[in-house]
Amino acid sequence: MSVNPKYFLEQRIILVDSLRRKGIKDERVLTAIEKVPREIFVPADQKDRAYIDNALPIECGQSISQPYTVAYMTELLDTFDGCKVLEIGTGSGYQCAILSVLGCEVFSIERIEFLHNKVKKIFANLNIKARLFLGDGSKGLPEFAPFDRIIVTAAAPDIPSSLINQLKIGGKLVIPVGSRNEQIMTLVIRSSTNKYEIIRKDSFRFVPLIGEEGWSNE
Ligand code: SAM
């Protein structure tokens, strides 16, 4: 399929308008979504669906999150320029690209080697700077901690204690927590060494976080 790049830009503008109508208010987040070409991050046979506000299947039985979900989580994460962010679940690389465009220093970890390698190539082509890791992100990345922000883009049964411990004081963690079928988007704010505020938001559905502090791989 050969599509005029102007077509995709127009689609992005329409998508951003629809996200604004759905309640996304942070103009920095909306601008980042307008800048990142989502069609590059979806499989070839899904490109014509890249700007429908839906999650889409990617390789290895995983998914690229719905643009609304990406915008919602990014708004909740409340990043700032130079913010040091850990993302668990690189997947397609789309969320990671949005954080990078927002000026964050991003560390992103994925457990599936095929997806990790694919994103490395996409980022090299688009000149996106992020540090990509292969492994079980449910334990975080202790060697690079502490982080200003942590975002988990897979469904966790509980809030992994390793992740809380890798947050700076004042840091924020955004994570969908619940059953395998439905999760509550949860914001954790580390107010002091041993104090956390936990705020539960709306319900979502993610693929499972598989790992030592996630679900077992059945
Ligand atoms: N952020 C992604 C994007 O923008 O496309 C969404 C990814 S998808 C909803 C969740 C990803 O988390 C999958 O690629 C899955 O393999 C990965 N994942 C699940 N458990 C993981 C773990 N313990 N460590 C790292 N990645 C994990």
Side-chain angles (χ1 to χ4, degrees):
M1 186 183 72
S2 142
V3 182
N4 182 344
K6 237 181 112 184
Y7 168 79
F8 284 130
L9 176 59
E10 284 162 9
Q11 293 296 300
R12 277 202 291 285
I13 292 168
I14 294 169
L15 173 67
V16 164
D17 277 345
S18 82
L19 296 177
R20 208 177 263 119
R21 281 198 303 277
K22 288 176 185 173
I24 303 299
K25 292 190 178 62
D26 188 333
E27 287 299 323
R28 289 177 68 244
V29 173
L30 293 166
T31 302
I33 287 179
E34 199 173 307
K35 281 187 187 161
V36 176
R38 190 170 187 255
E39 73 277 8
I40 308 271
F41 295 87
V42 303
D45 63 347
Q46 300 285 338
K47 290 202 188 298
D48 56 343
R49 306 186 66 218
Y51 293 100
I52 300 171
D53 188 18
N54 275 343
L56 293 172
I58 59 170
E59 296 84 354
C60 311
Q62 302 305 315
S63 59
I64 174 171
S65 302
Q66 182 181 349
Y68 173 74
T69 306
V70 172
Y72 181 102
M73 292 182 82
T74 311
E75 188 169 71
L76 205 54
L77 200 63
D78 182 30
T79 66
F80 51 87
D81 205 30
C83 183
K84 186 175 167 190
V85 182
L86 171 64
E87 180 197 27
I88 318 297
T90 313
S92 69
Y94 179 68
Q95 171 77 71
C96 184
I98 296 282
L99 292 167
S100 175
V101 165
L102 276 166
C104 302
E105 180 192 6
V106 195
F107 297 71
S108 182
I109 180 163
E110 170 57 53
R111 62 181 282 276
I112 299 176
E113 191 168 9
F114 177 91
L115 298 175
H116 166 75
N117 288 333
K118 186 174 175 195
V119 174
K120 273 209 271 191
K121 285 187 200 137
I122 294 175
F123 280 16
N125 287 337
L126 294 181
N127 198 23
I128 291 173
K129 307 257 178 290
R131 297 181 67 174
L132 302 174
F133 299 82
L134 179 64
D136 175 10
S138 70
K139 298 178 291 181
L141 267 184
E143 58 277 43
F144 294 98
F147 298 95
D148 293 300
R149 303 286 186 264
I150 301 179
I151 178 170
V152 182
T153 63
D158 292 297
I159 303 168
S161 57
S162 296
L163 298 187
I164 292 188
N165 291 332
Q166 289 171 38
L167 272 181
K168 287 184 189 174
I169 308 298
K172 296 180 181 178
L173 162 67
V174 172
I175 179 169
V177 181
S179 68
R180 279 190 181 247
N181 293 327
E182 192 182 19
Q183 305 86 37
I184 300 295
M185 195 60 73
T186 306
L187 169 66
V188 182
I189 305 172
R190 185 175 196 177
S191 38
S192 64
T193 309
N194 296 315
K195 265 195 168 172
Y196 308 93
E197 188 184 350
I198 297 180
I199 301 160
R200 292 183 178 82
K201 308 287 282 189
D202 300 301
S203 124
F204 288 85
R205 188 179 177 154
F206 280 80
V207 295
L209 177 76
I210 306 285
E212 216 169 286
E213 295 193 45
W215 296 96
S216 63
N217 196 6
E218 294 155 3

